[in-house]
Amino acid sequence: MTRIDDTFARLRAENRKAFVAYIMAGDPDAATTTEVVKGLPGAGVDIIELGLPFTDPMADGPTIQLAGQRALEGGMTLQGTLDIVRDLRDEDNVTPVVLMGYYNPIYSRGVDRFLKEATEAGVDGLIIVDLPPEEDEELCIPAQRAGVNFIRLATPTTDAERLPKVLQNTSGFVYYVSITGITGSGAADAEKVAPEVARIKASTDLPVIVGFGIRTPEASRDIAAVADGCVVGSAIVDRIGRGDAVEDVLAYVRSLSDGAHSA
């Protein structure tokens, strides 16, 4: 059982949905990220997704691309990201942390070394968007062996033939992308999402969490109501990027988590 598994077990027992928040590590600097990360559990966040800044974030929209650029320009590294997780673990050994990003920084560090350092820092899961199931031996399988959940994305274009492959070695939860396209584009539609979530849940016992296109407490509630929870990323990153005070960012996150938890 990982922290992610424990979290979903607790939420099921409480008959509550999960709220997941994404921010970019190092945006605009390590100190701010650390302050926000430490404040997220108190703002109602059940699982923290921490972005790994990368020079070529092909699946991300302008908001997260710019956040990654700011982080890299500020000197954020993979090691720095792990240090942020380690700082959180000094105060919080319960809230799961998932690293989300691309394979290149991990490959450059070396998979074995990365997994050893990630588990020591307190990382619970990985979402690596450019590693398809056909390449599970690269990182997915070693991560599972190390006790790190490997979380896969499913999309509106993941058809019945492809879905079993996507689910094959997934653990922790399934991240359903509510819209086609890059992060930060469009708006999630609960009526369209509901049958897709049901389709995925018919093939797996894993929780299904829905992300992309959620910006308001109402949207957070509506999407969580038809899934096991929701993820908000770009809308939070946008507020950090425009320079909102940490307490204001966390107040916004609280409004979103209250929405999800009211579903």
Side-chain angles (χ1 to χ4, degrees):
M1 292 282 286
T2 65
R3 290 188 188 92
I4 295 173
D5 299 326
D6 289 341
T7 294
F8 281 110
R10 173 179 56 79
L11 289 168
R12 281 192 297 271
E14 297 171 354
N15 196 29
R16 298 174 76 204
K17 301 301 180 74
F19 180 72
V20 183
Y22 168 99
I23 64 170
M24 177 65 71
D27 177 34
D29 51 58
T32 302
T33 300
T34 300
E35 188 177 357
V36 173
V37 164
K38 289 184 175 181
L40 289 175
V45 173
D46 299 299
I47 298 173
I48 298 168
E49 284 184 11
L50 195 55
L52 293 170
F54 181 53
T55 53
D56 187 23
M58 59 186 179
D60 294 310
T63 296
I64 291 179
Q65 283 190 17
L66 289 170
Q69 289 175 14
R70 290 190 297 266
L72 292 170
E73 288 168 1
M76 181 50 57
T77 61
L78 179 55
Q79 181 61 54
T81 303
L82 295 177
D83 289 343
I84 291 168
V85 179
R86 192 174 286 106
D87 284 345
L88 172 68
R89 291 289 172 238
D90 288 340
E91 301 179 3
D92 182 330
N93 200 36
V94 175
T95 305
V97 176
V98 175
L99 300 186
M100 184 171 186
Y102 299 83
Y103 184 45
N104 185 270
I106 295 170
Y107 175 79
S108 297
R109 197 170 190 83
V111 167
D112 291 343
R113 177 186 173 190
F114 165 75
L115 289 172
K116 181 176 184 294
E117 293 173 345
T119 53
E120 289 173 350
V123 171
D124 304 288
L126 299 173
I127 302 174
I128 307 301
V129 299
D130 57 344
L131 273 183
E134 288 75 14
E135 298 180 30
D136 275 356
E137 292 294 338
E138 285 284 329
L139 179 60
C140 174
I141 301 302
Q144 308 271 29
R145 290 188 188 125
V148 177
N149 290 130
F150 199 88
I151 297 145
R152 194 86 68 187
L153 302 177
T155 74
T157 60
T158 305
D159 60 20
E161 182 178 352
R162 182 65 175 168
L163 184 60
K165 191 71 174 176
V166 169
L167 297 175
Q168 182 173 282
N169 291 312
T170 299
S171 65
F173 61 91
V174 179
Y175 187 138
Y176 178 68
V177 177
S178 65
I179 54 178
T180 55
I182 55 177
T183 58
S185 63
D189 183 336
E191 289 188 6
K192 293 180 180 178
V193 166
E196 291 298 302
V197 170
R199 180 171 69 91
I200 296 168
K201 289 181 75 66
S203 299
T204 181
D205 292 329
L206 291 171
V208 179
I209 305 299
V210 177
F212 285 45
I214 303 169
R215 292 185 166 271
T216 66
E218 294 76 19
S220 184
R221 177 199 63 213
D222 292 347
I223 294 298
V226 300
D228 295 300
C230 67
V231 185
V232 179
S234 293
I236 300 170
V237 171
D238 183 57
R239 291 179 180 242
I240 294 171
R242 73 190 192 192
D244 285 13
V246 169
E247 56 266 31
D248 293 334
V249 172
L250 294 175
Y252 174 61
V253 172
R254 166 58 75 179
S255 74
L256 297 167
S257 69
D258 284 348
H261 292 146
S262 70

